[in-house]
Amino acid sequence: MADEMIDGLRFEQRHGKERVRVARVWRNEDGRHTIVEWSVGISLLSDCVAAYVFDDNSDIVATDTMKNTVFVKAKECSEQISVEDFAIGLAKHFTSVYQQVTTAIIKIVEKPWERVYIDGQPHEHGFKLGSEKHTTEVILKKSGALQVTSGVEGLAVLKTTKSGFEGFIRDKYTALPDTRERILATEVTASWRYPFESLSSVPPKPLYFTERYLDVKKVLVDTFFGPPKEGVYSPSVQSTLYHMAKAVLGRFPDILSIRLKMPNLHFLPVNLSSKDNPAIVKFNDDVYLPTDEPHGSIEASLGRFRIKDVEAAAQVG
């Protein structure tokens, strides 16, 4: 936040606009349509202390103006654009047009509209709502210093076998048995940071970020499940999370670091019994009680040590 000393006190402030919803449709000459729907959050760090202290709004960028800017900039996108490039464009506008603004922070969540297929054929203008969401955060300073982070939210995955958990700490409060056979289910939230440090270092390739988002998502999913026939064994959510993160960094030299959050959504074995009937239903790896409250919470990040090495590798690739 912008940090000031006022009357001997430390004062921090920022202002912006949240949940600006905008949809953009592109109509190609061949008749095919494309649509995106974004929820945009804007936060500006600016020199507008007078508005707080002296009732002087002359340095304020109105939040309504921010909202209108989102619509105008969406209109100006004559060609399909990635959510990251749109966020970069917004940040560039606010830091260049307004002298008072020192930093723009743009966060966008893209709603997952997917093209429908009818009789195996892609529909020209029909879409259905998917599940996981594409996210981005762009931080741009007036100096030109840039930080771009992308991510995915709500990536729900489950496998019915090839998962276990054993050898953990046991004490007088431990009731969980060791197992090498359980359902593994989670809803992945991932965010990864690119090494680009200025506007000029961002790849000019159209939809570069969109393609990378799809690539990363595929690597995460493929690593979680393993080969289609034999799968891959998971000794813990922690182990699977690490291998997913490592696979992303190993596959993409243009990703500096990745953070994964993977709650353990439990499928509890069902064993029903009573005093008179000790085996009403006996679990045999077939009947479960799904529950996500409470659930285990596992989160970690993995990153490279030297940014310059990553940038050099990205240029070579």
Side-chain angles (χ1 to χ4, degrees), residues 28-259:
N28 296 340
E29 293 181 358
D30 62 3
R32 174 168 291 197
H33 295 183
T34 301
I35 186 171
V36 293
E37 181 182 343
W38 295 323
S39 178
V40 182
I42 301 166
S43 186
L44 302 184
L45 278 61
S46 61
D47 183 11
C48 59
V49 175
Y52 295 88
V53 180
F54 303 117
D55 303 331
D56 179 359
N57 296 331
S58 59
D59 289 329
I60 289 284
V61 180
T63 64
D64 188 68
T65 301
M66 299 181 201
K67 175 203 68 178
N68 294 341
T69 301
V70 171
F71 298 136
V72 172
K73 292 302 176 182
K75 174 67 175 179
E76 291 177 357
C77 296
S78 58
E79 302 290 337
Q80 185 178 351
I81 189 174
S82 70
V83 64
E84 288 87 354
D85 282 323
F86 185 72
I88 290 171
L90 277 178
K92 183 179 179 181
H93 170 85
F94 288 115
T95 54
S96 61
V97 170
Y98 301 103
Q99 181 180 356
Q100 301 90 335
V101 175
T102 58
T103 303
I105 303 170
I106 310 296
K107 296 182 180 181
I108 306 180
V109 177
E110 180 171 316
K111 210 166 187 178
W113 289 108
E114 301 172 350
R115 190 175 304 279
V116 299
Y117 284 71
I118 306 298
D119 296 330
Q121 298 297 316
H123 202 283
E124 293 295 285
H125 53 266
F127 301 85
K128 65 180 179 67
L129 191 60
S131 54
E132 64 270 7
K133 299 176 180 178
H134 183 174
T135 65
T136 191
E137 179 184 66
V138 169
I139 302 175
L140 179 64
K141 296 183 178 181
K142 190 178 289 293
S143 64
L146 176 69
Q147 180 176 317
V148 180
T149 303
S150 295
V152 60
E153 292 180 354
L155 178 58
V157 288
L158 176 153
K159 57 184 183 182
T160 55
T161 189
K162 294 284 184 175
S163 174
F165 188 55
E166 54 188 343
F168 48 89
I169 293 173
R170 310 196 70 85
D171 58 31
K172 62 181 180 179
Y173 300 121
T174 303
L176 185 69
D178 285 357
T179 183
R180 290 187 62 83
E181 180 60 50
R182 66 173 182 171
I183 286 178
L184 177 58
T186 187
E187 188 172 283
V188 179
T189 299
S191 61
W192 52 93
R193 182 178 170 185
Y194 294 95
F196 316 123
E197 296 183 339
S198 65
L199 292 173
S200 62
S201 64
V202 175
K205 180 182 178 182
L207 300 180
Y208 161 83
F209 289 107
T210 301
E211 292 178 6
R212 182 60 74 242
Y213 165 76
L214 295 174
D215 291 341
V216 170
K217 190 169 64 168
K218 183 178 187 304
V219 169
L220 291 173
V221 171
D222 289 354
T223 307
F224 177 87
F225 289 112
K229 292 292 186 181
E230 62 270 25
V232 62
Y233 181 72
S234 170
S236 66
V237 178
Q238 286 87 342
S239 174
T240 297
L241 182 155
Y242 174 76
H243 286 291
M244 290 167 67
K246 187 177 180 182
V248 169
L249 294 185
R251 174 67 178 81
F252 306 111
D254 56 351
I255 291 180
L256 174 64
S257 62
I258 182 169
R259 173 173 291 276

Side-chain angles (χ1 to χ4, degrees), residues 288-315:
Y288 302 81
L289 172 63
T291 178
D292 57 5
E293 294 181 359
H295 63 246
S297 178
I298 295 91
E299 183 174 356
S301 62
L302 194 65
R304 309 180 197 276
F305 283 105
R306 297 177 60 183
I307 294 178
K308 298 303 180 184
D309 289 346
V310 179
E311 290 179 330
Q315 292 174 359

